[in-house]
Amino acid sequence: MSLVKLTIKGISYSQTQNGAYALILNEVDGERKLPIVIGAFEAQSIAIALEKEIKPPRPLTHDLFKSFADRFDIVVKQIIIHKLVDGVFYSSIICERDKIEEIIDARTSDAIALALRFSAPIFTYKNILDKAGIYLNTHPEVENKELDEDGVLSTPETFGFDTDNASSENSYKKFSLSELQDMLEHAVQEEDYEKAARIRDEISKR
């Protein structure tokens, strides 16, 4: 079975499962998207790995795994989403130590969070993409906006946790840039990454 390389298109709040998020993976050499429902913690961990401006004061679980692996010279080579059963995706982490390759079973959300930290490529099999891949239609007039018509973030760099909370975003417009920078730093120190992401989005708009 042939492998298909994927990249992360973005994350949006799941409209079907309360408290969950939809991670959207994009086919590199095609137009299909692979949506995967993940939990809030995993969404936060993936978003922080995508963000360059938000640095948690203490390592998250996936950061700890990365530090542990680095200490013992373990390298994650690639991630393969290898199975889909009853709507659940199964993944493998392909890692290497002392030129010996090992395959470790993992939840797809954890595997992708680690792939980002190791800069490892993400793959799936063509038959899985044929079965679960979808096309998300966008219009030219919304192409340059932060969200496309499906509520999916157009780029990972503009990730915001609470895409429906317009009132929260508007509340930051009254603050100056310096005040927003101070608020961003404080939110990160308090480990309130949802708030930090919204503040960062307002700063980026300025």
Side-chain angles (χ1 to χ4, degrees), residues 21-185:
Y21 289 79
L23 171 66
I24 310 299
L25 301 177
N26 192 75
E27 181 183 15
V28 170
D29 296 321
E31 298 297 324
R32 288 176 294 181
K33 311 293 185 292
L34 189 66
I36 300 174
V37 176
I38 62 176
F41 172 78
E42 291 77 15
Q44 172 181 278
S45 183
I46 291 171
I48 287 174
L50 290 168
E51 296 287 352
K52 304 305 179 184
E53 299 175 16
I54 299 177
K55 301 293 183 183
R58 296 180 299 170
L60 301 178
T61 301
H62 300 106
D63 298 318
L64 177 61
F65 185 95
K66 174 66 163 59
S67 298
F68 182 90
D70 288 344
R71 184 67 59 90
F72 292 96
D73 297 322
I74 300 170
V75 178
V76 172
K77 305 293 289 185
Q78 62 183 10
I79 301 300
I80 300 178
I81 304 171
H82 64 84
K83 186 167 64 173
L84 173 61
V85 179
D86 296 329
V88 178
F89 292 90
Y90 293 78
S91 295
S92 295
I93 300 173
I94 315 299
C95 55
E96 184 180 276
R97 181 173 183 265
D98 295 333
K99 297 183 179 180
I100 299 174
E101 188 174 275
E102 299 285 351
I103 301 176
I104 300 174
D105 184 45
R107 294 188 306 170
T108 298
S109 54
D110 289 328
I112 291 173
L114 291 174
L116 287 169
R117 287 162 171 81
F118 283 90
S119 298
I122 303 166
F123 296 95
T124 192
Y125 290 110
K126 183 178 181 297
N127 65 321
I128 292 178
L129 197 57
D130 290 340
K131 182 178 180 180
I134 61 174
Y135 290 91
L136 297 181
N137 297 319
T138 57
H139 299 295
E141 60 267 23
V142 300
E143 187 174 50
N144 295 322
K145 293 185 179 181
E146 183 180 5
L147 298 175
D148 63 27
E149 63 176 4
D150 299 280
V152 178
L153 299 178
S154 57
T155 59
E157 289 73 18
T158 58
F159 177 87
F161 282 91
D162 195 355
T163 57
D164 296 320
N165 195 349
S167 60
S168 294
E169 293 179 359
N170 292 335
S171 67
Y172 296 117
K173 291 183 178 180
K174 61 184 178 182
F175 295 101
S176 66
L177 272 176
S178 61
E179 289 174 326
L180 288 172
Q181 292 286 0
D182 291 340
M183 292 168 64
L184 175 61
E185 183 177 347

Side-chain angles (χ1 to χ4, degrees), residues 9-25:
K9 176 177 173 62
I11 305 175
S12 70
Y13 189 77
S14 175
Q15 302 299 318
T16 58
Q17 295 190 29
N18 188 33
Y21 289 79
L23 171 66
I24 310 299
L25 301 177

